[in-house]
Amino acid sequence: MPSLINRYATPFITGLFIVSLVSGIALFFHVGPSGFHGMHEWLSMVLILPFVLHLWKNWRPLTNYFKRSPMVIALAVSLLISLPFLMPTSGETRKGPPPFAFSHQILTNSADAVAPLLGMTGDDVTARLRTAGVEISDPNQPIAEAISKSGANEMRAIGALLTPAS
């Protein structure tokens, strides 16, 4: 096992880091295939194993880093610069890529308000949402509220709105 770790931990960290780097840059700039999102998330999770093996392999030299200030400073700065991303921002309730933010904004409207955007009537929108398990109790009720109260899946509801009637 130690021989396997010695041979593969660092090369896998390098390879998976490059994949994470490229997919992360593409996600940041909203370019590239849609598969970059899943690739980035899943292969970053896979990266954990070779990282742990690398730590195990290099534990003694690594502990020497903690005896000097550069490692402590680097970790503290890394933590500090990550904190603003966790701070709630005023007025924003949903985040994510622009298409998701846009769809969430559309869902803050009633079925009657959304219907013309989809080339339907309010009754058509209500009927399609019903197929996704969404019950609209009031014609002026925001779709997002109806989805939440119904305990329905939001993506399934959006899919029902976009699926042509059969």
Side-chain angles (χ1 to χ4, degrees):
M1 179 74 167
S3 171
L4 184 70
I5 294 169
N6 287 334
R7 277 185 282 164
Y8 290 103
T10 302
F12 270 112
I13 287 174
T14 304
L16 290 168
F17 174 78
I18 291 169
V19 168
S20 184
L21 174 71
V22 170
S23 59
I25 290 170
L27 289 170
F28 181 80
F29 289 108
H30 305 285
V31 297
S34 61
F36 272 159
H37 189 267
M39 175 197 312
H40 187 76
E41 285 183 346
W42 282 101
L43 294 182
S44 292
M45 295 302 292
V46 172
L47 179 59
I48 294 169
L49 178 63
F51 174 74
V52 168
L53 294 175
H54 182 77
L55 288 179
W56 183 20
K57 171 186 168 192
N58 296 295
W59 186 249
R60 284 189 188 211
L62 182 66
T63 57
N64 289 329
Y65 275 109
F66 284 98
K67 294 176 184 174
R68 296 184 220 114
S69 60
M71 177 63 95
V72 175
I73 291 169
L75 292 176
V77 168
S78 297
L79 177 64
L80 287 174
I81 63 175
S82 68
L83 290 177
F85 292 95
L86 301 175
M87 304 293 270
T89 56
S90 63
E92 289 187 44
T93 56
R94 287 304 276 243
K95 294 185 181 181
F100 289 146
F102 183 74
S103 67
H104 293 299
Q105 184 62 39
I106 295 295
L107 296 178
T108 63
N109 295 286
S110 68
D112 287 338
V114 171
L117 300 172
L118 300 172
M120 294 187 242
T121 67
D123 290 338
D124 293 336
V125 169
T126 301
R128 286 198 185 183
L129 288 170
R130 195 172 290 118
T131 67
V134 178
E135 288 301 322
I136 297 186
S137 58
D138 171 11
N140 295 320
Q141 181 181 29
I143 295 172
E145 181 182 300
I147 291 170
S148 178
K149 284 185 177 180
S150 300
N153 179 290
E154 187 175 283
M155 289 299 135
R156 185 168 174 235
I158 292 170
L161 289 174
L162 300 175
T163 302
S166 42

